Amino acid sequence: MSSSGKRDFLEGVRDLLPMVPGVLPFGLIAGANGTSLGFSPEMTIGMTLLFFAGSAQLAAYQLIQEQALPAVIIFTALMVNIRFLIYSATFAPLLHSLKTRHKWPLVYLISDQAYGLCATRFTPEQSDREKLYYFAGTAVALAVSWVGSVILGLLVGEQIPAEWSLEFAIPLAFIAMLVSSIRNRASLITAVFSALVATSLIQLPYNLGFIAAIIGGTTIGLIASSFITKISLKAQRENNG
Amino acid sequence: MDNLTLWMIFIAVCIGTFAIRLSFVHLHGRGSFNIGKHQTTLQLLAPAVLAALSIPAIIFQDKATLDSVSIAQITAALVTAILAWAFKGVFWPLCLGMITFWIMKFYSF
C-alpha cells in the first residue's frame, strides 16, 4: 500500500469509528441470541461471517425460533438484504473494473455503514483511487467491529439467564428500525397493511401469512405511492393554472 | 431444526446476498436495467418486511402456539416506537424498551 493509499484507508477507518456504538448492540444481540437458540459458538460465528448482514441475521434468528420453513427463512433474509442492490449500483462505477480477487472481497464487505459514509463523503474532485482506499477503510473497520461485537455477545450471552427473554430484543430492534423506515405516507400505509395481514393470517401454514404480508404490503404501498403522486401533480397543476 | 439444515440456510443466504451485492458492480456499463425506476419498490420493502417480522412477534407471547397477548411486550414496543420516532435512533429506544419490558415482566403489572 502506498503512503497516500494508506492515508485514505486510515481516514475511512477513522470516519467509521463513531458508528461503532451503533453496531455494538446489534452484535451483542446477535452473539447472545445465537447461544440462546442453542447454536454452538462456531455456528454463530460461521453464520455471522456467511451472512455479513446484521438485520438479516436477526430476522433469520426470529424465524428459526418460530420454526419457519427453510425456504421462508432464506426468502426473508434476501428481502431484508435487497437494499444492497442500491449500494451495488452506487459502488458499481468504482468497483467494476477491479480484478476479481480485489473486487469480490470488497463487494462482500458492502454494508449500510460503509455505503452511508461513502455516499455522503465522496466528492467529484476525489480520484477513484482515493475513493477506493477510503471505502476499503470503512468496510474493513465495520467488518472488524461487527464480528468483534458478535464475539463479545457470545461471551456475555452465556452469563445472561433465560428468564430475561433477551430474544425479545430482536422484534424490539425491528420496531425501532420500522419507525425509521417510515418516511412518507406510502411507507406508512405499507407498514400498517403488512402488520395487519401478518397478524390476521398468522395461523396459515408454511408462513404464507408472513409472505402475503410482505408482498401485499409492498403492492398496496406502490399503489398508494402512485396515487399520492397523481394527487400532488394535480394539485400542482391547479396551483399553477 | 438440525445443524445441517441450518448450515445449508446460512450458505444459501451467503450466496444470495453476495449475488445482490455483486449485481450492479458486475453488470455496470452493460445492462439496460434502470434501478431508479424500482427505487420506490425497494424502499417500500423495508417497512413491509420489518412490520411483518415485528408486529405479530410483539402482540403474541409465543407466535408458534398463539399463546396469550402480552401486555408487557406491547407496552415495551410502544415505548421503543415512540422514542425511535422522537429521537431518530435505534440504540437508546431499544435499551429503554427492554428496561420497560423487564420492569413489567418482573413486577407483573
mmCIF file of all heavy atoms in Angstrom, chain A residues 25-26 50 52 62 66 68 81-82 85 88 92 96 107 110 163-165 172 175 190 194 202-203 221-222, chain B residues 1 6 14 17 21 23-25 28 44-45 47-48 50-51 53 55 57-58 63 66 80 90-91 102 105:
data_model
loop_
_atom_site.group_PDB
_atom_site.id
_atom_site.type_symbol
_atom_site.label_atom_id
_atom_site.label_comp_id
_atom_site.label_asym_id
_atom_site.label_seq_id
_atom_site.Cartn_x
_atom_site.Cartn_y
_atom_site.Cartn_z
ATOM 1 N N PRO A 25 -24.580 -2.813 19.884
ATOM 2 C CA PRO A 25 -25.736 -3.510 20.460
ATOM 3 C C PRO A 25 -26.271 -4.625 19.559
ATOM 4 O O PRO A 25 -26.662 -5.687 20.061
ATOM 5 C CB PRO A 25 -26.782 -2.406 20.644
ATOM 6 C CG PRO A 25 -26.296 -1.252 19.867
ATOM 7 C CD PRO A 25 -24.825 -1.376 19.762
ATOM 8 N N PHE A 26 -26.254 -4.407 18.228
ATOM 9 C CA PHE A 26 -26.744 -5.444 17.319
ATOM 10 C C PHE A 26 -25.842 -6.662 17.359
ATOM 11 O O PHE A 26 -26.308 -7.802 17.325
ATOM 12 C CB PHE A 26 -26.853 -4.899 15.896
ATOM 13 C CG PHE A 26 -28.030 -3.994 15.713
ATOM 14 C CD1 PHE A 26 -27.869 -2.622 15.729
ATOM 15 C CD2 PHE A 26 -29.303 -4.520 15.568
ATOM 16 C CE1 PHE A 26 -28.962 -1.779 15.592
ATOM 17 C CE2 PHE A 26 -30.398 -3.697 15.428
ATOM 18 C CZ PHE A 26 -30.223 -2.321 15.438
ATOM 19 N N LEU A 50 -20.958 -15.722 7.189
ATOM 20 C CA LEU A 50 -21.637 -16.061 5.934
ATOM 21 C C LEU A 50 -22.701 -15.022 5.571
ATOM 22 O O LEU A 50 -22.838 -14.644 4.424
ATOM 23 C CB LEU A 50 -22.274 -17.452 6.032
ATOM 24 C CG LEU A 50 -21.293 -18.635 5.970
ATOM 25 C CD1 LEU A 50 -21.984 -19.936 6.345
ATOM 26 C CD2 LEU A 50 -20.672 -18.764 4.589
ATOM 27 N N PHE A 52 -22.908 -11.823 6.948
ATOM 28 C CA PHE A 52 -22.302 -10.488 6.987
ATOM 29 C C PHE A 52 -23.376 -9.424 6.768
ATOM 30 O O PHE A 52 -23.233 -8.508 5.957
ATOM 31 C CB PHE A 52 -21.134 -10.362 6.007
ATOM 32 C CG PHE A 52 -20.302 -9.156 6.323
ATOM 33 C CD1 PHE A 52 -19.641 -9.073 7.535
ATOM 34 C CD2 PHE A 52 -20.228 -8.089 5.444
ATOM 35 C CE1 PHE A 52 -18.920 -7.940 7.863
ATOM 36 C CE2 PHE A 52 -19.506 -6.954 5.770
ATOM 37 C CZ PHE A 52 -18.859 -6.891 6.981
ATOM 38 N N GLN A 62 -35.162 -14.988 14.391
ATOM 39 C CA GLN A 62 -36.548 -14.995 14.828
ATOM 40 C C GLN A 62 -37.336 -16.087 14.127
ATOM 41 O O GLN A 62 -38.123 -16.797 14.737
ATOM 42 C CB GLN A 62 -37.183 -13.625 14.565
ATOM 43 C CG GLN A 62 -38.541 -13.526 15.217
ATOM 44 C CD GLN A 62 -39.161 -12.169 15.021
ATOM 45 O OE1 GLN A 62 -38.480 -11.161 15.133
ATOM 46 N NE2 GLN A 62 -40.438 -12.148 14.723
ATOM 47 N N GLU A 66 -39.181 -19.509 15.457
ATOM 48 C CA GLU A 66 -40.600 -19.779 15.191
ATOM 49 C C GLU A 66 -40.772 -21.021 14.325
ATOM 50 O O GLU A 66 -41.872 -21.300 13.859
ATOM 51 C CB GLU A 66 -41.235 -18.567 14.494
ATOM 52 C CG GLU A 66 -41.417 -17.382 15.419
ATOM 53 C CD GLU A 66 -41.697 -16.079 14.668
ATOM 54 O OE1 GLU A 66 -41.944 -16.130 13.448
ATOM 55 O OE2 GLU A 66 -41.649 -15.016 15.310
ATOM 56 N N ALA A 68 -39.915 -21.640 11.257
ATOM 57 C CA ALA A 68 -40.368 -21.372 9.887
ATOM 58 C C ALA A 68 -39.689 -22.324 8.916
ATOM 59 O O ALA A 68 -38.670 -22.949 9.243
ATOM 60 C CB ALA A 68 -40.061 -19.925 9.523
ATOM 61 N N ASN A 81 -32.114 -8.008 2.651
ATOM 62 C CA ASN A 81 -30.855 -7.566 2.038
ATOM 63 C C ASN A 81 -31.017 -6.934 0.668
ATOM 64 O O ASN A 81 -30.031 -6.498 0.079
ATOM 65 C CB ASN A 81 -29.891 -8.746 1.929
ATOM 66 C CG ASN A 81 -29.315 -9.106 3.271
ATOM 67 O OD1 ASN A 81 -29.347 -8.286 4.187
ATOM 68 N ND2 ASN A 81 -28.797 -10.315 3.395
ATOM 69 N N ILE A 82 -32.254 -6.871 0.156
ATOM 70 C CA ILE A 82 -32.449 -6.390 -1.209
ATOM 71 C C ILE A 82 -32.006 -4.934 -1.351
ATOM 72 O O ILE A 82 -31.681 -4.474 -2.435
ATOM 73 C CB ILE A 82 -33.922 -6.607 -1.654
ATOM 74 C CG1 ILE A 82 -34.037 -6.657 -3.181
ATOM 75 C CG2 ILE A 82 -34.851 -5.574 -1.096
ATOM 76 C CD1 ILE A 82 -34.027 -8.041 -3.716
ATOM 77 N N LEU A 85 -28.953 -3.829 -3.394
ATOM 78 C CA LEU A 85 -28.991 -3.517 -4.830
ATOM 79 C C LEU A 85 -28.642 -2.042 -5.056
ATOM 80 O O LEU A 85 -27.901 -1.710 -5.973
ATOM 81 C CB LEU A 85 -30.394 -3.781 -5.391
ATOM 82 C CG LEU A 85 -30.778 -5.211 -5.765
ATOM 83 C CD1 LEU A 85 -32.213 -5.229 -6.265
ATOM 84 C CD2 LEU A 85 -29.847 -5.780 -6.820
ATOM 85 N N SER A 88 -25.011 -1.562 -4.443
ATOM 86 C CA SER A 88 -24.251 -2.139 -5.547
ATOM 87 C C SER A 88 -24.228 -1.171 -6.727
ATOM 88 O O SER A 88 -23.178 -0.948 -7.335
ATOM 89 C CB SER A 88 -24.871 -3.475 -5.958
ATOM 90 O OG SER A 88 -24.116 -4.081 -6.968
ATOM 91 N N ALA A 92 -20.902 0.587 -8.181
ATOM 92 C CA ALA A 92 -20.570 -0.059 -9.460
ATOM 93 C C ALA A 92 -19.478 0.660 -10.255
ATOM 94 O O ALA A 92 -18.505 0.026 -10.660
ATOM 95 C CB ALA A 92 -21.832 -0.244 -10.293
ATOM 96 N N HIS A 96 -16.243 -1.761 -10.530
ATOM 97 C CA HIS A 96 -16.437 -2.603 -11.711
ATOM 98 C C HIS A 96 -15.135 -3.077 -12.354
ATOM 99 O O HIS A 96 -14.978 -4.245 -12.676
ATOM 100 C CB HIS A 96 -17.279 -1.847 -12.740
ATOM 101 C CG HIS A 96 -17.398 -2.561 -14.041
ATOM 102 N ND1 HIS A 96 -18.128 -3.727 -14.161
ATOM 103 C CD2 HIS A 96 -16.853 -2.312 -15.267
ATOM 104 C CE1 HIS A 96 -18.043 -4.145 -15.420
ATOM 105 N NE2 HIS A 96 -17.274 -3.308 -16.100
ATOM 106 N N VAL A 107 -16.708 -6.267 -2.544
ATOM 107 C CA VAL A 107 -18.158 -6.372 -2.731
ATOM 108 C C VAL A 107 -18.791 -7.086 -1.532
ATOM 109 O O VAL A 107 -19.836 -6.673 -1.033
ATOM 110 C CB VAL A 107 -18.482 -7.120 -4.054
ATOM 111 C CG1 VAL A 107 -19.927 -7.594 -4.076
ATOM 112 C CG2 VAL A 107 -18.227 -6.224 -5.252
ATOM 113 N N ILE A 110 -19.596 -4.818 1.422
ATOM 114 C CA ILE A 110 -20.529 -3.681 1.300
ATOM 115 C C ILE A 110 -21.537 -3.756 2.451
ATOM 116 O O ILE A 110 -22.123 -4.809 2.691
ATOM 117 C CB ILE A 110 -21.268 -3.708 -0.064
ATOM 118 C CG1 ILE A 110 -20.295 -3.376 -1.205
ATOM 119 C CG2 ILE A 110 -22.433 -2.715 -0.060
ATOM 120 C CD1 ILE A 110 -20.923 -3.450 -2.596
ATOM 121 N N GLU A 163 -34.536 -16.237 31.843
ATOM 122 C CA GLU A 163 -35.749 -15.501 32.249
ATOM 123 C C GLU A 163 -35.738 -14.057 31.740
ATOM 124 O O GLU A 163 -36.768 -13.398 31.734
ATOM 125 C CB GLU A 163 -35.906 -15.447 33.785
ATOM 126 C CG GLU A 163 -35.922 -16.772 34.494
ATOM 127 C CD GLU A 163 -34.510 -17.179 34.875
ATOM 128 O OE1 GLU A 163 -33.956 -16.586 35.814
ATOM 129 O OE2 GLU A 163 -33.963 -18.084 34.222
ATOM 130 N N TRP A 164 -34.579 -13.564 31.372
ATOM 131 C CA TRP A 164 -34.503 -12.185 30.881
ATOM 132 C C TRP A 164 -35.115 -12.038 29.485
ATOM 133 O O TRP A 164 -35.252 -10.930 28.998
ATOM 134 C CB TRP A 164 -33.053 -11.696 30.868
ATOM 135 C CG TRP A 164 -32.531 -11.338 32.218
ATOM 136 C CD1 TRP A 164 -32.878 -11.932 33.401
ATOM 137 C CD2 TRP A 164 -31.585 -10.318 32.536
ATOM 138 N NE1 TRP A 164 -32.192 -11.342 34.429
ATOM 139 C CE2 TRP A 164 -31.390 -10.350 33.931
ATOM 140 C CE3 TRP A 164 -30.870 -9.389 31.771
ATOM 141 C CZ2 TRP A 164 -30.517 -9.487 34.581
ATOM 142 C CZ3 TRP A 164 -30.000 -8.538 32.405
ATOM 143 C CH2 TRP A 164 -29.834 -8.586 33.810
ATOM 144 N N SER A 165 -35.433 -13.150 28.844
ATOM 145 C CA SER A 165 -36.016 -13.148 27.485
ATOM 146 C C SER A 165 -35.290 -12.182 26.550
ATOM 147 O O SER A 165 -35.905 -11.317 25.940
ATOM 148 C CB SER A 165 -37.498 -12.778 27.514
ATOM 149 O OG SER A 165 -38.191 -13.549 28.438
ATOM 150 N N LEU A 172 -38.048 -5.988 19.060
ATOM 151 C CA LEU A 172 -37.982 -4.604 19.539
ATOM 152 C C LEU A 172 -37.044 -3.768 18.648
ATOM 153 O O LEU A 172 -37.352 -2.624 18.299
ATOM 154 C CB LEU A 172 -37.494 -4.604 20.984
ATOM 155 C CG LEU A 172 -38.182 -3.645 21.953
ATOM 156 C CD1 LEU A 172 -39.678 -3.674 21.836
ATOM 157 C CD2 LEU A 172 -37.761 -3.956 23.383
ATOM 158 N N ILE A 175 -38.830 -2.991 15.521
ATOM 159 C CA ILE A 175 -39.809 -1.912 15.688
ATOM 160 C C ILE A 175 -39.112 -0.551 15.524
ATOM 161 O O ILE A 175 -39.590 0.322 14.804
ATOM 162 C CB ILE A 175 -40.495 -1.999 17.073
ATOM 163 C CG1 ILE A 175 -41.655 -2.990 17.036
ATOM 164 C CG2 ILE A 175 -41.000 -0.645 17.545
ATOM 165 C CD1 ILE A 175 -42.890 -2.473 16.314
ATOM 166 N N THR A 190 -47.881 0.971 3.757
ATOM 167 C CA THR A 190 -47.235 -0.333 3.584
ATOM 168 C C THR A 190 -47.084 -1.041 4.924
ATOM 169 O O THR A 190 -47.449 -2.219 5.070
ATOM 170 C CB THR A 190 -45.835 -0.149 2.958
ATOM 171 O OG1 THR A 190 -45.970 0.531 1.729
ATOM 172 C CG2 THR A 190 -45.150 -1.480 2.736
ATOM 173 N N SER A 194 -49.114 -4.391 6.021
ATOM 174 C CA SER A 194 -48.297 -5.585 6.240
ATOM 175 C C SER A 194 -48.493 -6.140 7.654
ATOM 176 O O SER A 194 -48.637 -7.355 7.850
ATOM 177 C CB SER A 194 -46.829 -5.248 5.986
ATOM 178 O OG SER A 194 -46.014 -6.286 6.421
ATOM 179 N N ILE A 202 -51.830 -15.190 10.725
ATOM 180 C CA ILE A 202 -50.713 -15.837 11.420
ATOM 181 C C ILE A 202 -50.845 -17.361 11.452
ATOM 182 O O ILE A 202 -49.853 -18.080 11.499
ATOM 183 C CB ILE A 202 -50.587 -15.237 12.840
ATOM 184 C CG1 ILE A 202 -49.238 -15.567 13.452
ATOM 185 C CG2 ILE A 202 -51.709 -15.665 13.737
ATOM 186 C CD1 ILE A 202 -48.948 -14.775 14.702
ATOM 187 N N GLN A 203 -52.088 -17.854 11.378
ATOM 188 C CA GLN A 203 -52.266 -19.306 11.509
ATOM 189 C C GLN A 203 -52.182 -20.071 10.196
ATOM 190 O O GLN A 203 -52.234 -21.287 10.196
ATOM 191 C CB GLN A 203 -53.601 -19.597 12.192
ATOM 192 C CG GLN A 203 -53.451 -19.480 13.709
ATOM 193 C CD GLN A 203 -54.765 -19.631 14.421
ATOM 194 O OE1 GLN A 203 -55.729 -18.951 14.093
ATOM 195 N NE2 GLN A 203 -54.803 -20.526 15.386
ATOM 196 N N GLY A 221 -48.547 -0.343 -0.966
ATOM 197 C CA GLY A 221 -47.704 0.849 -0.839
ATOM 198 C C GLY A 221 -47.404 1.478 -2.197
ATOM 199 O O GLY A 221 -47.430 2.695 -2.351
ATOM 200 N N LEU A 222 -47.121 0.613 -3.201
ATOM 201 C CA LEU A 222 -46.826 1.105 -4.546
ATOM 202 C C LEU A 222 -48.045 1.793 -5.150
ATOM 203 O O LEU A 222 -47.931 2.854 -5.766
ATOM 204 C CB LEU A 222 -46.396 -0.060 -5.449
ATOM 205 C CG LEU A 222 -44.925 -0.448 -5.387
ATOM 206 C CD1 LEU A 222 -44.671 -1.675 -6.242
ATOM 207 C CD2 LEU A 222 -44.053 0.708 -5.855
ATOM 208 N N MET B 1 -34.750 -27.637 14.293
ATOM 209 C CA MET B 1 -34.019 -27.673 13.026
ATOM 210 C C MET B 1 -32.613 -28.245 13.250
ATOM 211 O O MET B 1 -31.937 -27.808 14.176
ATOM 212 C CB MET B 1 -33.919 -26.250 12.474
ATOM 213 C CG MET B 1 -34.052 -26.186 10.979
ATOM 214 S SD MET B 1 -34.156 -24.485 10.409
ATOM 215 C CE MET B 1 -35.865 -24.075 10.752
ATOM 216 N N LEU B 6 -29.490 -25.918 9.050
ATOM 217 C CA LEU B 6 -29.101 -24.546 9.383
ATOM 218 C C LEU B 6 -27.914 -24.087 8.537
ATOM 219 O O LEU B 6 -27.936 -23.004 7.956
ATOM 220 C CB LEU B 6 -28.769 -24.447 10.872
ATOM 221 C CG LEU B 6 -29.981 -24.486 11.808
ATOM 222 C CD1 LEU B 6 -29.533 -24.648 13.257
ATOM 223 C CD2 LEU B 6 -30.829 -23.223 11.671
ATOM 224 N N CYS B 14 -25.796 -16.633 2.149
ATOM 225 C CA CYS B 14 -24.481 -16.079 1.800
ATOM 226 C C CYS B 14 -24.368 -15.886 0.297
ATOM 227 O O CYS B 14 -24.019 -14.798 -0.176
ATOM 228 C CB CYS B 14 -23.380 -17.021 2.301
ATOM 229 S SG CYS B 14 -21.734 -16.516 1.799
ATOM 230 N N THR B 17 -27.017 -13.234 -0.947
ATOM 231 C CA THR B 17 -26.655 -11.864 -0.564
ATOM 232 C C THR B 17 -25.465 -11.375 -1.380
ATOM 233 O O THR B 17 -25.423 -10.226 -1.816
ATOM 234 C CB THR B 17 -26.335 -11.798 0.941
ATOM 235 O OG1 THR B 17 -27.451 -12.321 1.656
ATOM 236 C CG2 THR B 17 -26.090 -10.377 1.394
ATOM 237 N N ARG B 21 -25.195 -8.109 -3.725
ATOM 238 C CA ARG B 21 -24.139 -7.101 -3.578
ATOM 239 C C ARG B 21 -23.337 -6.933 -4.872
ATOM 240 O O ARG B 21 -22.886 -5.857 -5.207
ATOM 241 C CB ARG B 21 -23.180 -7.512 -2.453
ATOM 242 C CG ARG B 21 -23.707 -7.272 -1.050
ATOM 243 C CD ARG B 21 -22.680 -7.749 -0.029
ATOM 244 N NE ARG B 21 -22.977 -7.259 1.294
ATOM 245 C CZ ARG B 21 -23.126 -8.043 2.366
ATOM 246 N NH1 ARG B 21 -23.009 -9.351 2.259
ATOM 247 N NH2 ARG B 21 -23.378 -7.524 3.544
ATOM 248 N N SER B 23 -24.440 -7.675 -8.010
ATOM 249 C CA SER B 23 -25.280 -7.429 -9.191
ATOM 250 C C SER B 23 -24.838 -6.251 -10.065
ATOM 251 O O SER B 23 -24.367 -6.451 -11.191
ATOM 252 C CB SER B 23 -26.730 -7.249 -8.748
ATOM 253 O OG SER B 23 -26.808 -6.169 -7.835
ATOM 254 N N PHE B 24 -24.983 -5.043 -9.550
ATOM 255 C CA PHE B 24 -24.742 -3.874 -10.397
ATOM 256 C C PHE B 24 -23.255 -3.637 -10.632
ATOM 257 O O PHE B 24 -22.872 -3.095 -11.666
ATOM 258 C CB PHE B 24 -25.400 -2.634 -9.785
ATOM 259 C CG PHE B 24 -26.870 -2.611 -10.034
ATOM 260 C CD1 PHE B 24 -27.755 -3.109 -9.092
ATOM 261 C CD2 PHE B 24 -27.374 -2.128 -11.229
ATOM 262 C CE1 PHE B 24 -29.118 -3.100 -9.338
ATOM 263 C CE2 PHE B 24 -28.739 -2.121 -11.484
ATOM 264 C CZ PHE B 24 -29.615 -2.612 -10.521
ATOM 265 N N VAL B 25 -22.427 -4.049 -9.686
ATOM 266 C CA VAL B 25 -20.983 -3.921 -9.877
ATOM 267 C C VAL B 25 -20.587 -4.758 -11.086
ATOM 268 O O VAL B 25 -19.805 -4.329 -11.945
ATOM 269 C CB VAL B 25 -20.226 -4.393 -8.613
ATOM 270 C CG1 VAL B 25 -18.737 -4.412 -8.858
ATOM 271 C CG2 VAL B 25 -20.569 -3.501 -7.421
ATOM 272 N N HIS B 28 -22.243 -3.403 -14.513
ATOM 273 C CA HIS B 28 -22.001 -1.985 -14.815
ATOM 274 C C HIS B 28 -21.624 -1.760 -16.279
ATOM 275 O O HIS B 28 -20.724 -2.408 -16.801
ATOM 276 C CB HIS B 28 -20.885 -1.454 -13.916
ATOM 277 C CG HIS B 28 -20.655 0.013 -14.092
ATOM 278 N ND1 HIS B 28 -21.598 0.946 -13.804
ATOM 279 C CD2 HIS B 28 -19.589 0.690 -14.564
ATOM 280 C CE1 HIS B 28 -21.124 2.147 -14.063
ATOM 281 N NE2 HIS B 28 -19.905 2.022 -14.532
ATOM 282 N N LEU B 44 -40.067 0.517 -0.221
ATOM 283 C CA LEU B 44 -41.268 0.048 0.474
ATOM 284 C C LEU B 44 -41.085 -1.352 1.054
ATOM 285 O O LEU B 44 -41.783 -1.749 1.981
ATOM 286 C CB LEU B 44 -42.473 0.066 -0.477
ATOM 287 C CG LEU B 44 -42.968 1.460 -0.864
ATOM 288 C CD1 LEU B 44 -44.089 1.369 -1.882
ATOM 289 C CD2 LEU B 44 -43.442 2.228 0.365
ATOM 290 N N LEU B 45 -40.138 -2.112 0.499
ATOM 291 C CA LEU B 45 -39.905 -3.464 1.017
ATOM 292 C C LEU B 45 -39.463 -3.433 2.479
ATOM 293 O O LEU B 45 -39.848 -4.306 3.265
ATOM 294 C CB LEU B 45 -38.830 -4.166 0.192
ATOM 295 C CG LEU B 45 -39.336 -5.071 -0.930
ATOM 296 C CD1 LEU B 45 -38.175 -5.519 -1.784
ATOM 297 C CD2 LEU B 45 -40.075 -6.277 -0.384
ATOM 298 N N PRO B 47 -40.229 -1.284 5.152
ATOM 299 C CA PRO B 47 -41.325 -1.289 6.132
ATOM 300 C C PRO B 47 -42.195 -2.547 6.066
ATOM 301 O O PRO B 47 -42.674 -3.011 7.111
ATOM 302 C CB PRO B 47 -42.140 -0.032 5.777
ATOM 303 C CG PRO B 47 -41.631 0.448 4.485
ATOM 304 C CD PRO B 47 -40.256 -0.076 4.311
ATOM 305 N N ALA B 48 -42.397 -3.111 4.847
ATOM 306 C CA ALA B 48 -43.230 -4.315 4.731
ATOM 307 C C ALA B 48 -42.613 -5.483 5.490
ATOM 308 O O ALA B 48 -43.282 -6.157 6.292
ATOM 309 C CB ALA B 48 -43.426 -4.678 3.253
ATOM 310 N N LEU B 50 -40.163 -5.390 7.833
ATOM 311 C CA LEU B 50 -39.969 -5.107 9.261
ATOM 312 C C LEU B 50 -41.289 -5.208 10.028
ATOM 313 O O LEU B 50 -41.323 -5.732 11.142
ATOM 314 C CB LEU B 50 -39.343 -3.721 9.442
ATOM 315 C CG LEU B 50 -37.892 -3.602 8.961
ATOM 316 C CD1 LEU B 50 -37.453 -2.153 8.946
ATOM 317 C CD2 LEU B 50 -36.959 -4.430 9.839
ATOM 318 N N ALA B 51 -42.385 -4.730 9.420
ATOM 319 C CA ALA B 51 -43.682 -4.798 10.101
ATOM 320 C C ALA B 51 -44.135 -6.257 10.240
ATOM 321 O O ALA B 51 -44.614 -6.667 11.296
ATOM 322 C CB ALA B 51 -44.721 -3.982 9.347
ATOM 323 N N LEU B 53 -42.299 -8.867 10.388
ATOM 324 C CA LEU B 53 -41.437 -9.563 11.348
ATOM 325 C C LEU B 53 -41.763 -9.177 12.788
ATOM 326 O O LEU B 53 -41.777 -10.021 13.682
ATOM 327 C CB LEU B 53 -39.972 -9.219 11.081
ATOM 328 C CG LEU B 53 -39.200 -10.023 10.059
ATOM 329 C CD1 LEU B 53 -37.847 -9.370 9.827
ATOM 330 C CD2 LEU B 53 -39.006 -11.459 10.499
ATOM 331 N N ILE B 55 -44.476 -6.975 14.310
ATOM 332 C CA ILE B 55 -45.787 -6.783 14.945
ATOM 333 C C ILE B 55 -46.372 -8.091 15.518
ATOM 334 O O ILE B 55 -46.696 -8.131 16.716
ATOM 335 C CB ILE B 55 -46.780 -6.073 13.992
ATOM 336 C CG1 ILE B 55 -46.209 -4.745 13.495
ATOM 337 C CG2 ILE B 55 -48.138 -5.880 14.664
ATOM 338 C CD1 ILE B 55 -46.060 -3.645 14.541
ATOM 339 N N ALA B 57 -44.866 -10.801 16.383
ATOM 340 C CA ALA B 57 -43.969 -11.296 17.440
ATOM 341 C C ALA B 57 -44.133 -10.486 18.718
ATOM 342 O O ALA B 57 -43.852 -10.979 19.815
ATOM 343 C CB ALA B 57 -42.520 -11.243 16.970
ATOM 344 N N ILE B 58 -44.590 -9.253 18.605
ATOM 345 C CA ILE B 58 -44.777 -8.412 19.786
ATOM 346 C C ILE B 58 -46.153 -8.658 20.410
ATOM 347 O O ILE B 58 -46.289 -8.750 21.628
ATOM 348 C CB ILE B 58 -44.572 -6.929 19.410
ATOM 349 C CG1 ILE B 58 -43.072 -6.659 19.362
ATOM 350 C CG2 ILE B 58 -45.247 -6.009 20.408
ATOM 351 C CD1 ILE B 58 -42.694 -5.466 18.582
ATOM 352 N N LYS B 63 -45.454 -16.966 19.192
ATOM 353 C CA LYS B 63 -46.111 -16.956 17.896
ATOM 354 C C LYS B 63 -46.440 -18.372 17.421
ATOM 355 O O LYS B 63 -47.412 -18.581 16.695
ATOM 356 C CB LYS B 63 -45.196 -16.263 16.880
ATOM 357 C CG LYS B 63 -45.960 -15.568 15.776
ATOM 358 C CD LYS B 63 -45.009 -14.815 14.875
ATOM 359 C CE LYS B 63 -45.357 -15.051 13.424
ATOM 360 N NZ LYS B 63 -44.330 -14.565 12.518
ATOM 361 N N LEU B 66 -49.563 -19.285 19.515
ATOM 362 C CA LEU B 66 -50.535 -18.198 19.680
ATOM 363 C C LEU B 66 -50.947 -18.049 21.143
ATOM 364 O O LEU B 66 -52.114 -17.818 21.464
ATOM 365 C CB LEU B 66 -51.777 -18.411 18.806
ATOM 366 C CG LEU B 66 -51.589 -18.241 17.311
ATOM 367 C CD1 LEU B 66 -52.938 -18.234 16.614
ATOM 368 C CD2 LEU B 66 -50.849 -16.969 16.978
ATOM 369 N N THR B 80 -40.575 1.860 22.753
ATOM 370 C CA THR B 80 -39.489 1.864 21.766
ATOM 371 C C THR B 80 -39.880 2.664 20.524
ATOM 372 O O THR B 80 -39.101 3.487 20.030
ATOM 373 C CB THR B 80 -39.150 0.419 21.352
ATOM 374 O OG1 THR B 80 -38.900 -0.341 22.522
ATOM 375 C CG2 THR B 80 -37.935 0.368 20.452
ATOM 376 N N VAL B 90 -31.920 3.995 17.064
ATOM 377 C CA VAL B 90 -32.331 2.628 17.387
ATOM 378 C C VAL B 90 -31.815 2.217 18.765
ATOM 379 O O VAL B 90 -32.522 1.592 19.549
ATOM 380 C CB VAL B 90 -31.820 1.639 16.310
ATOM 381 C CG1 VAL B 90 -32.057 0.207 16.720
ATOM 382 C CG2 VAL B 90 -32.513 1.908 14.975
ATOM 383 N N PHE B 91 -30.577 2.633 19.071
ATOM 384 C CA PHE B 91 -29.908 2.107 20.260
ATOM 385 C C PHE B 91 -30.625 2.446 21.572
ATOM 386 O O PHE B 91 -31.027 1.549 22.321
ATOM 387 C CB PHE B 91 -28.457 2.613 20.287
ATOM 388 C CG PHE B 91 -27.703 2.182 21.506
ATOM 389 C CD1 PHE B 91 -27.538 0.831 21.796
ATOM 390 C CD2 PHE B 91 -27.138 3.120 22.372
ATOM 391 C CE1 PHE B 91 -26.837 0.440 22.913
ATOM 392 C CE2 PHE B 91 -26.434 2.726 23.487
ATOM 393 C CZ PHE B 91 -26.286 1.379 23.765
ATOM 394 N N TRP B 102 -38.638 -5.510 31.057
ATOM 395 C CA TRP B 102 -38.213 -6.230 32.273
ATOM 396 C C TRP B 102 -39.001 -5.778 33.503
ATOM 397 O O TRP B 102 -39.408 -6.604 34.320
ATOM 398 C CB TRP B 102 -36.702 -6.037 32.508
ATOM 399 C CG TRP B 102 -35.868 -6.839 31.549
ATOM 400 C CD1 TRP B 102 -36.154 -8.078 31.051
ATOM 401 C CD2 TRP B 102 -34.612 -6.461 30.960
ATOM 402 N NE1 TRP B 102 -35.173 -8.492 30.190
ATOM 403 C CE2 TRP B 102 -34.208 -7.533 30.116
ATOM 404 C CE3 TRP B 102 -33.785 -5.336 31.065
ATOM 405 C CZ2 TRP B 102 -33.015 -7.498 29.393
ATOM 406 C CZ3 TRP B 102 -32.592 -5.313 30.339
ATOM 407 C CH2 TRP B 102 -32.220 -6.387 29.519
ATOM 408 N N LYS B 105 -42.418 -7.256 33.267
ATOM 409 C CA LYS B 105 -42.377 -8.713 33.373
ATOM 410 C C LYS B 105 -42.121 -9.161 34.817
ATOM 411 O O LYS B 105 -42.809 -10.038 35.341
ATOM 412 C CB LYS B 105 -41.263 -9.223 32.459
ATOM 413 C CG LYS B 105 -41.220 -10.723 32.247
ATOM 414 C CD LYS B 105 -40.146 -11.028 31.213
ATOM 415 C CE LYS B 105 -39.452 -12.336 31.489
ATOM 416 N NZ LYS B 105 -40.002 -13.469 30.766
#
